[in-house]
Amino acid sequence: MPVLTRLVPSPLVVDIRAGALNDLGVILADQRISASGRLAVAVSGGSGAALRERLTPQLPGADWYSVAGGTLDSAVKLADQMRSGHYDAVVGLGGGKIIDAAKYAAARVGLPMVAVATNLAHDGICSPVSTLDNDAGRGSYGVPSPIGIIIDLEVIRQAPARFVAAGIGEAISNISCIADWELSQRETGESVDGLAAAMARTAGNTILRHPGTIADDDLLGALAEALVLTGISMNVAGSSRPASGGCHEISHALDILHPTRSAQHGEQVGLGAAFATYLRGERDLAGQMGAVLARHNLPVTATQMGFSDEEFVAAVHYAPQTRPGRFTILEHLDLDPSAIRDAYTDYVKHVSS
């Protein structure tokens, strides 16, 4: 009888611990990612640049590239600059914007990429997607996922608390995303990948039920692992479906309608997940999500995120247009603004009680 299996793209190395950056050069050499030390290191002007002096002695053969931000133009410029080198791999050192730019640039020049995260704001650390700003707003681009993930918890502790807490909203949103995916399976016949769903849901539930705070290494390690596992779940599914549901549609709508006012992505999808869960009738779970978000100083209502109720209602109504063809609770209910307003008013009362 034949044994049927599938190959799942996953990192060669995942190193999540305090002090991991002290061994960066050794890790890259031991894993045969770059035995020669010829690396292109992409850094931001913030956290990444601050680590350059510390890491330069470990990476004597590396060339360092400063990346202006998470834009398509910056990623293309980085790729063009790297073409003249003969590198083994690209290292993206910094927050989500730099990692996304480095992933895109590495794909453009055909090099493997290692993500060295300095905060835990979102699940792009290990995902096969680069989210980059472009002339039309913001786009998602399919790329190979990183072959290495290195997260130093000592560095994470130095990141602004808001950037770390945002990752909690991102992870918890998985639970809502999987519920939307399974709703689509029941209503439209869309296929659900059970392994991808299990990985993403497990990551979300781990953080939802974790009693710690972002001051605890135990929670930081669990959150880092949850975000990596979420990224791998997207590789398994071959799309962002395990980690992108109605909550992410709401976030995209806020980005489009209010590009200069949007909050952290993890903050927006955390609130979106709690509200979408409430819309699905899972009120106890919505209340639990709201309580966890509040405990980590994440917004539970639109006003806490800097938006009026009317602005949030308009974003929810617009949200399905951001992902044509994707079926979530928003498409299923197809509520008009008046009905959304009523539902949101009830939601606020529920999570505030």
PDB file of all heavy atoms in Angstrom, residues 41-81:
ATOM      1  N   VAL A  41      22.381  41.983   4.619  1.00  0.00           N
ATOM      2  CA  VAL A  41      21.572  42.225   5.809  1.00  0.00           C
ATOM      3  C   VAL A  41      20.772  43.499   5.616  1.00  0.00           C
ATOM      4  O   VAL A  41      21.334  44.581   5.442  1.00  0.00           O
ATOM      5  CB  VAL A  41      22.457  42.334   7.068  1.00  0.00           C
ATOM      6  CG1 VAL A  41      21.573  42.464   8.308  1.00  0.00           C
ATOM      7  CG2 VAL A  41      23.370  41.130   7.193  1.00  0.00           C
ATOM      8  N   ALA A  42      19.458  43.360   5.617  1.00  0.00           N
ATOM      9  CA  ALA A  42      18.559  44.505   5.454  1.00  0.00           C
ATOM     10  C   ALA A  42      18.100  44.965   6.832  1.00  0.00           C
ATOM     11  O   ALA A  42      17.601  44.156   7.624  1.00  0.00           O
ATOM     12  CB  ALA A  42      17.358  44.118   4.596  1.00  0.00           C
ATOM     13  N   VAL A  43      18.281  46.256   7.118  1.00  0.00           N
ATOM     14  CA  VAL A  43      17.911  46.794   8.424  1.00  0.00           C
ATOM     15  C   VAL A  43      17.097  48.066   8.243  1.00  0.00           C
ATOM     16  O   VAL A  43      17.164  48.733   7.224  1.00  0.00           O
ATOM     17  CB  VAL A  43      19.151  47.102   9.294  1.00  0.00           C
ATOM     18  CG1 VAL A  43      19.911  45.845   9.629  1.00  0.00           C
ATOM     19  CG2 VAL A  43      20.063  48.109   8.601  1.00  0.00           C
ATOM     20  N   SER A  44      16.337  48.379   9.276  1.00  0.00           N
ATOM     21  CA  SER A  44      15.585  49.632   9.301  1.00  0.00           C
ATOM     22  C   SER A  44      16.441  50.713   9.933  1.00  0.00           C
ATOM     23  O   SER A  44      17.555  50.463  10.410  1.00  0.00           O
ATOM     24  CB  SER A  44      14.306  49.456  10.114  1.00  0.00           C
ATOM     25  OG  SER A  44      14.637  49.240  11.472  1.00  0.00           O
ATOM     26  N   GLY A  45      15.913  51.912   9.979  1.00  0.00           N
ATOM     27  CA  GLY A  45      16.608  52.981  10.652  1.00  0.00           C
ATOM     28  C   GLY A  45      16.373  52.973  12.147  1.00  0.00           C
ATOM     29  O   GLY A  45      16.916  53.792  12.875  1.00  0.00           O
ATOM     30  N   GLY A  46      15.569  52.007  12.621  1.00  0.00           N
ATOM     31  CA  GLY A  46      15.237  51.949  14.036  1.00  0.00           C
ATOM     32  C   GLY A  46      15.935  50.808  14.738  1.00  0.00           C
ATOM     33  O   GLY A  46      17.152  50.808  14.927  1.00  0.00           O
ATOM     34  N   SER A  47      15.159  49.797  15.119  1.00  0.00           N
ATOM     35  CA  SER A  47      15.701  48.707  15.934  1.00  0.00           C
ATOM     36  C   SER A  47      16.805  47.950  15.223  1.00  0.00           C
ATOM     37  O   SER A  47      17.788  47.536  15.840  1.00  0.00           O
ATOM     38  CB  SER A  47      14.573  47.752  16.323  1.00  0.00           C
ATOM     39  OG  SER A  47      13.917  47.257  15.154  1.00  0.00           O
ATOM     40  N   GLY A  48      16.665  47.757  13.907  1.00  0.00           N
ATOM     41  CA  GLY A  48      17.688  47.013  13.171  1.00  0.00           C
ATOM     42  C   GLY A  48      19.018  47.732  13.154  1.00  0.00           C
ATOM     43  O   GLY A  48      20.072  47.136  13.401  1.00  0.00           O
ATOM     44  N   ALA A  49      18.997  49.038  12.887  1.00  0.00           N
ATOM     45  CA  ALA A  49      20.228  49.817  12.833  1.00  0.00           C
ATOM     46  C   ALA A  49      20.923  49.833  14.190  1.00  0.00           C
ATOM     47  O   ALA A  49      22.161  49.814  14.276  1.00  0.00           O
ATOM     48  CB  ALA A  49      19.923  51.239  12.378  1.00  0.00           C
ATOM     49  N   ALA A  50      20.138  49.857  15.260  1.00  0.00           N
ATOM     50  CA  ALA A  50      20.718  49.880  16.601  1.00  0.00           C
ATOM     51  C   ALA A  50      21.478  48.594  16.912  1.00  0.00           C
ATOM     52  O   ALA A  50      22.393  48.589  17.740  1.00  0.00           O
ATOM     53  CB  ALA A  50      19.620  50.092  17.635  1.00  0.00           C
ATOM     54  N   LEU A  51      21.122  47.498  16.233  1.00  0.00           N
ATOM     55  CA  LEU A  51      21.788  46.219  16.474  1.00  0.00           C
ATOM     56  C   LEU A  51      22.982  45.992  15.544  1.00  0.00           C
ATOM     57  O   LEU A  51      23.742  45.046  15.740  1.00  0.00           O
ATOM     58  CB  LEU A  51      20.784  45.071  16.282  1.00  0.00           C
ATOM     59  CG  LEU A  51      19.704  44.953  17.361  1.00  0.00           C
ATOM     60  CD1 LEU A  51      18.613  43.995  16.913  1.00  0.00           C
ATOM     61  CD2 LEU A  51      20.322  44.479  18.667  1.00  0.00           C
ATOM     62  N   ARG A  52      23.145  46.854  14.566  1.00  0.00           N
ATOM     63  CA  ARG A  52      24.210  46.636  13.575  1.00  0.00           C
ATOM     64  C   ARG A  52      25.588  46.602  14.225  1.00  0.00           C
ATOM     65  O   ARG A  52      26.402  45.705  13.931  1.00  0.00           O
ATOM     66  CB  ARG A  52      24.147  47.714  12.503  1.00  0.00           C
ATOM     67  CG  ARG A  52      25.271  47.583  11.479  1.00  0.00           C
ATOM     68  CD  ARG A  52      25.104  48.567  10.329  1.00  0.00           C
ATOM     69  NE  ARG A  52      26.223  48.465   9.404  1.00  0.00           N
ATOM     70  CZ  ARG A  52      26.294  49.086   8.230  1.00  0.00           C
ATOM     71  NH1 ARG A  52      25.292  49.854   7.837  1.00  0.00           N
ATOM     72  NH2 ARG A  52      27.353  48.937   7.464  1.00  0.00           N
ATOM     73  N   GLU A  53      25.861  47.553  15.099  1.00  0.00           N
ATOM     74  CA  GLU A  53      27.179  47.609  15.746  1.00  0.00           C
ATOM     75  C   GLU A  53      27.451  46.342  16.540  1.00  0.00           C
ATOM     76  O   GLU A  53      28.566  45.820  16.543  1.00  0.00           O
ATOM     77  CB  GLU A  53      27.259  48.837  16.641  1.00  0.00           C
ATOM     78  CG  GLU A  53      28.623  49.030  17.296  1.00  0.00           C
ATOM     79  CD  GLU A  53      28.701  50.302  18.110  1.00  0.00           C
ATOM     80  OE1 GLU A  53      27.754  51.118  18.052  1.00  0.00           O
ATOM     81  OE2 GLU A  53      29.713  50.482  18.823  1.00  0.00           O
ATOM     82  N   ARG A  54      26.422  45.847  17.194  1.00  0.00           N
ATOM     83  CA  ARG A  54      26.583  44.634  17.998  1.00  0.00           C
ATOM     84  C   ARG A  54      26.849  43.405  17.139  1.00  0.00           C
ATOM     85  O   ARG A  54      27.644  42.533  17.519  1.00  0.00           O
ATOM     86  CB  ARG A  54      25.310  44.438  18.834  1.00  0.00           C
ATOM     87  CG  ARG A  54      25.222  43.094  19.533  1.00  0.00           C
ATOM     88  CD  ARG A  54      23.878  42.956  20.238  1.00  0.00           C
ATOM     89  NE  ARG A  54      23.654  41.596  20.697  1.00  0.00           N
ATOM     90  CZ  ARG A  54      22.521  41.187  21.269  1.00  0.00           C
ATOM     91  NH1 ARG A  54      21.533  42.055  21.453  1.00  0.00           N
ATOM     92  NH2 ARG A  54      22.377  39.932  21.641  1.00  0.00           N
ATOM     93  N   LEU A  55      26.208  43.327  15.973  1.00  0.00           N
ATOM     94  CA  LEU A  55      26.272  42.115  15.167  1.00  0.00           C
ATOM     95  C   LEU A  55      27.382  42.122  14.120  1.00  0.00           C
ATOM     96  O   LEU A  55      27.759  41.058  13.620  1.00  0.00           O
ATOM     97  CB  LEU A  55      24.928  41.887  14.473  1.00  0.00           C
ATOM     98  CG  LEU A  55      23.741  41.618  15.400  1.00  0.00           C
ATOM     99  CD1 LEU A  55      22.450  41.515  14.601  1.00  0.00           C
ATOM    100  CD2 LEU A  55      23.974  40.342  16.202  1.00  0.00           C
ATOM    101  N   THR A  56      27.910  43.278  13.777  1.00  0.00           N
ATOM    102  CA  THR A  56      28.925  43.355  12.721  1.00  0.00           C
ATOM    103  C   THR A  56      30.113  42.424  12.975  1.00  0.00           C
ATOM    104  O   THR A  56      30.571  41.747  12.043  1.00  0.00           O
ATOM    105  CB  THR A  56      29.393  44.807  12.536  1.00  0.00           C
ATOM    106  OG1 THR A  56      28.290  45.593  12.062  1.00  0.00           O
ATOM    107  CG2 THR A  56      30.526  44.884  11.531  1.00  0.00           C
ATOM    108  N   PRO A  57      30.646  42.326  14.218  1.00  0.00           N
ATOM    109  CA  PRO A  57      31.773  41.401  14.428  1.00  0.00           C
ATOM    110  C   PRO A  57      31.426  39.938  14.152  1.00  0.00           C
ATOM    111  O   PRO A  57      32.306  39.151  13.782  1.00  0.00           O
ATOM    112  CB  PRO A  57      32.117  41.615  15.912  1.00  0.00           C
ATOM    113  CG  PRO A  57      31.633  42.993  16.225  1.00  0.00           C
ATOM    114  CD  PRO A  57      30.376  43.143  15.421  1.00  0.00           C
ATOM    115  N   GLN A  58      30.147  39.568  14.341  1.00  0.00           N
ATOM    116  CA  GLN A  58      29.734  38.184  14.066  1.00  0.00           C
ATOM    117  C   GLN A  58      29.628  37.907  12.575  1.00  0.00           C
ATOM    118  O   GLN A  58      29.691  36.755  12.145  1.00  0.00           O
ATOM    119  CB  GLN A  58      28.368  37.906  14.693  1.00  0.00           C
ATOM    120  CG  GLN A  58      28.320  37.778  16.184  1.00  0.00           C
ATOM    121  CD  GLN A  58      26.973  37.211  16.611  1.00  0.00           C
ATOM    122  OE1 GLN A  58      26.525  36.173  16.128  1.00  0.00           O
ATOM    123  NE2 GLN A  58      26.320  37.907  17.532  1.00  0.00           N
ATOM    124  N   LEU A  59      29.412  38.966  11.782  1.00  0.00           N
ATOM    125  CA  LEU A  59      29.125  38.811  10.352  1.00  0.00           C
ATOM    126  C   LEU A  59      30.127  39.629   9.540  1.00  0.00           C
ATOM    127  O   LEU A  59      29.759  40.565   8.831  1.00  0.00           O
ATOM    128  CB  LEU A  59      27.691  39.275  10.058  1.00  0.00           C
ATOM    129  CG  LEU A  59      26.576  38.659  10.931  1.00  0.00           C
ATOM    130  CD1 LEU A  59      25.245  39.342  10.639  1.00  0.00           C
ATOM    131  CD2 LEU A  59      26.472  37.156  10.693  1.00  0.00           C
ATOM    132  N   PRO A  60      31.411  39.270   9.598  1.00  0.00           N
ATOM    133  CA  PRO A  60      32.427  40.087   8.933  1.00  0.00           C
ATOM    134  C   PRO A  60      32.298  40.121   7.415  1.00  0.00           C
ATOM    135  O   PRO A  60      32.781  41.058   6.772  1.00  0.00           O
ATOM    136  CB  PRO A  60      33.745  39.430   9.364  1.00  0.00           C
ATOM    137  CG  PRO A  60      33.370  38.016   9.700  1.00  0.00           C
ATOM    138  CD  PRO A  60      32.002  38.103  10.285  1.00  0.00           C
ATOM    139  N   GLY A  61      31.659  39.114   6.836  1.00  0.00           N
ATOM    140  CA  GLY A  61      31.526  39.077   5.382  1.00  0.00           C
ATOM    141  C   GLY A  61      30.221  39.646   4.864  1.00  0.00           C
ATOM    142  O   GLY A  61      29.912  39.538   3.676  1.00  0.00           O
ATOM    143  N   ALA A  62      29.446  40.282   5.753  1.00  0.00           N
ATOM    144  CA  ALA A  62      28.114  40.772   5.370  1.00  0.00           C
ATOM    145  C   ALA A  62      28.184  42.185   4.813  1.00  0.00           C
ATOM    146  O   ALA A  62      29.042  42.987   5.194  1.00  0.00           O
ATOM    147  CB  ALA A  62      27.184  40.732   6.574  1.00  0.00           C
ATOM    148  N   ASP A  63      27.245  42.474   3.911  1.00  0.00           N
ATOM    149  CA  ASP A  63      26.999  43.834   3.452  1.00  0.00           C
ATOM    150  C   ASP A  63      25.670  44.285   4.042  1.00  0.00           C
ATOM    151  O   ASP A  63      24.683  43.538   4.019  1.00  0.00           O
ATOM    152  CB  ASP A  63      26.934  43.901   1.922  1.00  0.00           C
ATOM    153  CG  ASP A  63      28.281  43.652   1.263  1.00  0.00           C
ATOM    154  OD1 ASP A  63      29.309  43.963   1.899  1.00  0.00           O
ATOM    155  OD2 ASP A  63      28.301  43.134   0.130  1.00  0.00           O
ATOM    156  N   TRP A  64      25.644  45.513   4.534  1.00  0.00           N
ATOM    157  CA  TRP A  64      24.463  46.030   5.228  1.00  0.00           C
ATOM    158  C   TRP A  64      23.723  47.008   4.345  1.00  0.00           C
ATOM    159  O   TRP A  64      24.320  47.879   3.721  1.00  0.00           O
ATOM    160  CB  TRP A  64      24.873  46.701   6.534  1.00  0.00           C
ATOM    161  CG  TRP A  64      25.473  45.743   7.515  1.00  0.00           C
ATOM    162  CD1 TRP A  64      26.731  45.215   7.478  1.00  0.00           C
ATOM    163  CD2 TRP A  64      24.834  45.165   8.653  1.00  0.00           C
ATOM    164  NE1 TRP A  64      26.930  44.354   8.529  1.00  0.00           N
ATOM    165  CE2 TRP A  64      25.776  44.302   9.268  1.00  0.00           C
ATOM    166  CE3 TRP A  64      23.575  45.305   9.223  1.00  0.00           C
ATOM    167  CZ2 TRP A  64      25.485  43.581  10.429  1.00  0.00           C
ATOM    168  CZ3 TRP A  64      23.286  44.586  10.378  1.00  0.00           C
ATOM    169  CH2 TRP A  64      24.223  43.735  10.963  1.00  0.00           C
ATOM    170  N   TYR A  65      22.399  46.857   4.301  1.00  0.00           N
ATOM    171  CA  TYR A  65      21.554  47.714   3.477  1.00  0.00           C
ATOM    172  C   TYR A  65      20.473  48.342   4.350  1.00  0.00           C
ATOM    173  O   TYR A  65      19.750  47.644   5.058  1.00  0.00           O
ATOM    174  CB  TYR A  65      20.895  46.919   2.353  1.00  0.00           C
ATOM    175  CG  TYR A  65      21.873  46.346   1.350  1.00  0.00           C
ATOM    176  CD1 TYR A  65      22.389  45.059   1.511  1.00  0.00           C
ATOM    177  CD2 TYR A  65      22.280  47.090   0.254  1.00  0.00           C
ATOM    178  CE1 TYR A  65      23.286  44.531   0.601  1.00  0.00           C
ATOM    179  CE2 TYR A  65      23.181  46.563  -0.676  1.00  0.00           C
ATOM    180  CZ  TYR A  65      23.679  45.288  -0.487  1.00  0.00           C
ATOM    181  OH  TYR A  65      24.572  44.774  -1.399  1.00  0.00           O
ATOM    182  N   SER A  66      20.374  49.652   4.292  1.00  0.00           N
ATOM    183  CA  SER A  66      19.331  50.361   5.027  1.00  0.00           C
ATOM    184  C   SER A  66      18.077  50.441   4.164  1.00  0.00           C
ATOM    185  O   SER A  66      18.134  50.848   2.998  1.00  0.00           O
ATOM    186  CB  SER A  66      19.806  51.767   5.387  1.00  0.00           C
ATOM    187  OG  SER A  66      18.813  52.457   6.102  1.00  0.00           O
ATOM    188  N   VAL A  67      16.954  50.029   4.731  1.00  0.00           N
ATOM    189  CA  VAL A  67      15.676  50.016   4.012  1.00  0.00           C
ATOM    190  C   VAL A  67      14.776  51.096   4.600  1.00  0.00           C
ATOM    191  O   VAL A  67      14.568  51.147   5.816  1.00  0.00           O
ATOM    192  CB  VAL A  67      14.996  48.635   4.115  1.00  0.00           C
ATOM    193  CG1 VAL A  67      13.672  48.630   3.352  1.00  0.00           C
ATOM    194  CG2 VAL A  67      15.924  47.560   3.566  1.00  0.00           C
ATOM    195  N   ALA A  68      14.257  51.943   3.728  1.00  0.00           N
ATOM    196  CA  ALA A  68      13.497  53.108   4.195  1.00  0.00           C
ATOM    197  C   ALA A  68      12.202  52.721   4.907  1.00  0.00           C
ATOM    198  O   ALA A  68      11.769  53.384   5.843  1.00  0.00           O
ATOM    199  CB  ALA A  68      13.198  54.040   3.029  1.00  0.00           C
ATOM    200  N   GLY A  69      11.556  51.655   4.466  1.00  0.00           N
ATOM    201  CA  GLY A  69      10.284  51.264   5.080  1.00  0.00           C
ATOM    202  C   GLY A  69       9.654  50.123   4.330  1.00  0.00           C
ATOM    203  O   GLY A  69      10.250  49.533   3.419  1.00  0.00           O
ATOM    204  N   GLY A  70       8.411  49.815   4.717  1.00  0.00           N
ATOM    205  CA  GLY A  70       7.727  48.672   4.129  1.00  0.00           C
ATOM    206  C   GLY A  70       6.949  49.032   2.883  1.00  0.00           C
ATOM    207  O   GLY A  70       5.734  48.824   2.809  1.00  0.00           O
ATOM    208  N   THR A  71       7.636  49.563   1.878  1.00  0.00           N
ATOM    209  CA  THR A  71       6.987  49.919   0.623  1.00  0.00           C
ATOM    210  C   THR A  71       7.492  49.034  -0.501  1.00  0.00           C
ATOM    211  O   THR A  71       8.606  48.487  -0.435  1.00  0.00           O
ATOM    212  CB  THR A  71       7.250  51.389   0.246  1.00  0.00           C
ATOM    213  OG1 THR A  71       8.649  51.548  -0.063  1.00  0.00           O
ATOM    214  CG2 THR A  71       6.874  52.318   1.394  1.00  0.00           C
ATOM    215  N   LEU A  72       6.699  48.925  -1.537  1.00  0.00           N
ATOM    216  CA  LEU A  72       7.109  48.152  -2.700  1.00  0.00           C
ATOM    217  C   LEU A  72       8.356  48.773  -3.337  1.00  0.00           C
ATOM    218  O   LEU A  72       9.275  48.057  -3.741  1.00  0.00           O
ATOM    219  CB  LEU A  72       5.961  48.095  -3.718  1.00  0.00           C
ATOM    220  CG  LEU A  72       6.220  47.290  -5.001  1.00  0.00           C
ATOM    221  CD1 LEU A  72       6.555  45.848  -4.680  1.00  0.00           C
ATOM    222  CD2 LEU A  72       4.994  47.372  -5.913  1.00  0.00           C
ATOM    223  N   ASP A  73       8.391  50.088  -3.409  1.00  0.00           N
ATOM    224  CA  ASP A  73       9.561  50.762  -3.984  1.00  0.00           C
ATOM    225  C   ASP A  73      10.826  50.449  -3.191  1.00  0.00           C
ATOM    226  O   ASP A  73      11.896  50.215  -3.779  1.00  0.00           O
ATOM    227  CB  ASP A  73       9.332  52.280  -4.019  1.00  0.00           C
ATOM    228  CG  ASP A  73       8.338  52.704  -5.091  1.00  0.00           C
ATOM    229  OD1 ASP A  73       8.050  51.878  -5.988  1.00  0.00           O
ATOM    230  OD2 ASP A  73       7.849  53.838  -5.034  1.00  0.00           O
ATOM    231  N   SER A  74      10.735  50.443  -1.860  1.00  0.00           N
ATOM    232  CA  SER A  74      11.902  50.133  -1.032  1.00  0.00           C
ATOM    233  C   SER A  74      12.366  48.698  -1.246  1.00  0.00           C
ATOM    234  O   SER A  74      13.579  48.424  -1.298  1.00  0.00           O
ATOM    235  CB  SER A  74      11.567  50.344   0.449  1.00  0.00           C
ATOM    236  OG  SER A  74      11.325  51.699   0.728  1.00  0.00           O
ATOM    237  N   ALA A  75      11.412  47.772  -1.381  1.00  0.00           N
ATOM    238  CA  ALA A  75      11.769  46.369  -1.590  1.00  0.00           C
ATOM    239  C   ALA A  75      12.421  46.164  -2.952  1.00  0.00           C
ATOM    240  O   ALA A  75      13.401  45.419  -3.076  1.00  0.00           O
ATOM    241  CB  ALA A  75      10.518  45.498  -1.458  1.00  0.00           C
ATOM    242  N   VAL A  76      11.900  46.821  -3.970  1.00  0.00           N
ATOM    243  CA  VAL A  76      12.491  46.714  -5.311  1.00  0.00           C
ATOM    244  C   VAL A  76      13.893  47.324  -5.314  1.00  0.00           C
ATOM    245  O   VAL A  76      14.832  46.774  -5.903  1.00  0.00           O
ATOM    246  CB  VAL A  76      11.589  47.404  -6.352  1.00  0.00           C
ATOM    247  CG1 VAL A  76      12.289  47.499  -7.696  1.00  0.00           C
ATOM    248  CG2 VAL A  76      10.272  46.635  -6.496  1.00  0.00           C
ATOM    249  N   LYS A  77      14.046  48.475  -4.654  1.00  0.00           N
ATOM    250  CA  LYS A  77      15.362  49.116  -4.568  1.00  0.00           C
ATOM    251  C   LYS A  77      16.359  48.208  -3.870  1.00  0.00           C
ATOM    252  O   LYS A  77      17.520  48.078  -4.303  1.00  0.00           O
ATOM    253  CB  LYS A  77      15.239  50.448  -3.828  1.00  0.00           C
ATOM    254  CG  LYS A  77      16.559  51.199  -3.696  1.00  0.00           C
ATOM    255  CD  LYS A  77      16.376  52.508  -2.942  1.00  0.00           C
ATOM    256  CE  LYS A  77      17.715  53.236  -2.778  1.00  0.00           C
ATOM    257  NZ  LYS A  77      17.562  54.503  -2.019  1.00  0.00           N
ATOM    258  N   LEU A  78      15.932  47.550  -2.781  1.00  0.00           N
ATOM    259  CA  LEU A  78      16.806  46.625  -2.070  1.00  0.00           C
ATOM    260  C   LEU A  78      17.243  45.486  -2.987  1.00  0.00           C
ATOM    261  O   LEU A  78      18.425  45.119  -3.020  1.00  0.00           O
ATOM    262  CB  LEU A  78      16.090  46.075  -0.835  1.00  0.00           C
ATOM    263  CG  LEU A  78      16.811  44.976  -0.051  1.00  0.00           C
ATOM    264  CD1 LEU A  78      18.143  45.480   0.491  1.00  0.00           C
ATOM    265  CD2 LEU A  78      15.919  44.464   1.091  1.00  0.00           C
ATOM    266  N   ALA A  79      16.302  44.934  -3.738  1.00  0.00           N
ATOM    267  CA  ALA A  79      16.645  43.848  -4.658  1.00  0.00           C
ATOM    268  C   ALA A  79      17.670  44.316  -5.694  1.00  0.00           C
ATOM    269  O   ALA A  79      18.644  43.609  -5.989  1.00  0.00           O
ATOM    270  CB  ALA A  79      15.379  43.344  -5.347  1.00  0.00           C
ATOM    271  N   ASP A  80      17.469  45.490  -6.240  1.00  0.00           N
ATOM    272  CA  ASP A  80      18.407  46.012  -7.246  1.00  0.00           C
ATOM    273  C   ASP A  80      19.797  46.217  -6.652  1.00  0.00           C
ATOM    274  O   ASP A  80      20.810  45.929  -7.304  1.00  0.00           O
ATOM    275  CB  ASP A  80      17.879  47.336  -7.809  1.00  0.00           C
ATOM    276  CG  ASP A  80      16.635  47.161  -8.669  1.00  0.00           C
ATOM    277  OD1 ASP A  80      16.380  46.021  -9.121  1.00  0.00           O
ATOM    278  OD2 ASP A  80      15.920  48.158  -8.890  1.00  0.00           O
ATOM    279  N   GLN A  81      19.868  46.695  -5.420  1.00  0.00           N
ATOM    280  CA  GLN A  81      21.157  46.910  -4.781  1.00  0.00           C
ATOM    281  C   GLN A  81      21.888  45.596  -4.528  1.00  0.00           C
ATOM    282  O   GLN A  81      23.122  45.534  -4.605  1.00  0.00           O
ATOM    283  CB  GLN A  81      20.965  47.658  -3.457  1.00  0.00           C
ATOM    284  CG  GLN A  81      20.524  49.102  -3.614  1.00  0.00           C
ATOM    285  CD  GLN A  81      20.209  49.744  -2.265  1.00  0.00           C
ATOM    286  OE1 GLN A  81      19.694  49.096  -1.349  1.00  0.00           O
ATOM    287  NE2 GLN A  81      20.510  51.034  -2.139  1.00  0.00           N
TER     288      GLN A  81
END
